[in-house]
Amino acid sequence: KRRDLLKGLGVVGLGSLISLPKSVKAAGGSAKTDGVCWLTTALTEGPYYFNPNLFRPDIRTDSGTGDFHDGIRLDMTFSVIDANCNPIPNAFVDAWHCDKDGLYSGYVQPGGNTVGQDFMRGTQVTDANGQCTFTTSYPGWYSGRATHIHFKVRLNAFTYVTSQFAFPEAITEAVYNTPLYSGRGQNTTNNSNDGIFRNQDLTHLMIDLTENTATGGYDGLFTVGIDAPTGLRDNSGQPEGFQLNQNYPNPFNPSTTIAYTLPEATAVDLRVYDALGQEVAVLVNGRQTTGDHRVRFDALNLESGFYFYRIKAGAFAQVKEMVLIK
């Protein structure tokens, strides 16, 4: 929450350093339509989301028990783009869905109790082409919903999108006729009468599937875009000569270096905060001399995610964002 972050960081005027998107939308598909990138409205997170903080490409196994949740293999690639169809690297993509028996991990639900489990959940980071791939099992179904997969894409602590995509019904019907799925029969809810999908243009909410004869499953592609990626920006009103650099490397694991310049000797306070504005480290707290300074931040005991570092030096105050990926 932006208000909580500003309060937690406790910096007067920090609001001028942060800009939020006017709107956050998802763009589905793999190309332009008539030369224009399409945009579709973000959809509900649903009742079964939690972040297990598992950065892994294969999400079929429960990390605690090692139990493998079988099904027709699905290798799904997310392609993240901006409003101009340019790829966005280093975006966090969270994916979660039910297993072949219609169960989500981590919850008490009509089909069973899976509290403490985390199968069919994971996070990946997009590469230089704005893409990442998850290996999973073709999702099953549960009463009242068409077959679907949930996802979140986060560009920074303030710009993210939550949505879900549907599946081609002919392929879903064929999958549910296979021995692994046939015991539960066909899904009685299709895309056209689903409570979430029926009011949407499914052209851009449908994963594109192709059969993979080598794996015996399917390869899928779905493109997600965020309309206006925004976040922290420099304050042009800072005193002349003071400078806070972007940490390097960024993203990092588990340590990174923060450099800054002081045009005069002054008291310096440099701290790190998580995305909720909670302090996680004090890196500098004392008087320092004129010149260039470097300090190392070790996040060995922290979870992956977005973090902020804030410097106060005399009248100078600035905040930058960094990304920890383990």
Side-chain angles (χ1 to χ4, degrees):
K1 298 281 194 296
R2 179 177 185 269
R3 185 183 301 112
D4 294 340
L5 177 65
L6 300 183
K7 181 179 178 181
L9 292 181
V11 180
V12 175
L14 179 60
S16 65
L17 298 178
I18 299 176
S19 61
L20 296 180
K22 296 179 180 178
S23 63
V24 179
K25 300 178 181 180
S30 57
K32 298 181 179 180
T33 300
D34 297 327
V36 178
C37 296
W38 55 75
L39 294 174
T40 57
T41 305
L43 299 179
T44 178
E45 177 182 278
Y48 297 126
Y49 171 73
F50 73 90
N51 180 12
N53 201 43
L54 289 172
F55 281 73
R56 57 180 184 176
D58 193 328
I59 62 176
R60 295 174 292 181
T61 302
D62 178 73
S63 65
T65 65
D67 290 342
F68 180 78
H69 288 253
D70 202 5
I72 299 295
R73 177 166 166 164
L74 172 63
D75 293 289
M76 56 181 180
T77 296
F78 287 85
S79 182
V80 181
I81 60 172
D82 63 19
N84 296 313
C85 281
N86 299 311
I88 301 177
N90 298 322
F92 284 25
V93 179
D94 301 321
W96 72 100
H97 63 89
C98 68
D99 66 7
K100 68 178 180 62
D101 298 315
L103 288 177
Y104 285 90
S105 60
Y107 287 88
V108 177
Q109 54 210 288
N113 183 349
T114 60
V115 171
Q117 301 181 54
D118 54 25
F119 58 85
M120 305 309 183
R121 296 180 188 272
T123 303
Q124 286 282 276
V125 180
T126 57
D127 59 19
N129 296 317
Q131 296 189 340
C132 64
T133 299
F134 293 88
T135 297
T136 188
S137 296
Y138 203 100
W141 60 273
Y142 53 95
S143 180
R145 284 303 316 273
T147 304
H148 63 284
I149 284 180
H150 298 265
F151 63 88
K152 286 180 181 286
V153 176
R154 293 173 282 166
L155 301 189
N156 54 42
F158 302 106
T159 305
Y160 63 92
V161 63
T162 302
S163 195
Q164 15 183 316
F165 61 73
F167 283 79
E169 290 178 343
I171 294 179
T172 297
E173 181 179 355
V175 169
Y176 292 169
N177 279 331
T178 64
L180 283 171
Y181 295 79
S182 60
R184 300 189 68 237
Q186 293 292 327
N187 191 352
T188 56
T189 303
N190 56 37
N191 295 329
S192 62
N193 61 23
D194 178 82
I196 302 298
F197 294 139
R198 66 187 177 191
N199 295 321
Q200 304 296 326
D201 178 2
L202 290 184
T203 303
H204 309 314
L205 285 174
M206 188 84 65
I207 187 171
D208 182 16
L209 293 179
T210 57
E211 190 173 0
N212 187 322
T213 56
T215 65
Y218 295 89
D219 294 335
L221 174 65
F222 189 79
T223 301
V224 181
I226 295 182
D227 190 16
T230 59
L232 296 178
R233 53 183 169 81
D234 291 337
N235 188 335
S236 58
Q238 299 296 356
E240 183 178 357
F242 287 91
Q243 182 175 338
L244 177 64
N245 297 327
Q246 186 65 50
N247 64 297
Y248 182 83
N250 187 47
F252 68 98
N253 176 29
S255 63
T256 187
T257 298
I258 299 171
Y260 54 96
T261 300
L262 304 176
E264 60 189 47
T266 187
V268 176
D269 187 280
L270 178 61
R271 302 177 186 235
V272 179
Y273 301 84
D274 65 18
L276 295 178
Q278 298 172 328
E279 181 182 296
V280 298
V282 178
L283 302 182
V284 178
N285 186 17
R287 189 171 181 82
Q288 291 191 314
T289 60
T290 302
D292 296 329
H293 298 266
R294 294 162 63 89
V295 61
R296 181 174 175 267
F297 171 54
D298 191 339
L300 181 63
N301 297 320
L302 296 177
E303 294 185 344
S304 300
F306 296 97
Y307 291 87
F308 301 89
Y309 54 101
R310 177 213 64 183
I311 191 171
K312 290 201 299 184
F316 174 63
Q318 196 170 75
V319 177
K320 288 184 180 291
E321 186 175 38
M322 56 185 170
V323 181
L324 171 62
I325 299 176
K326 291 186 174 180

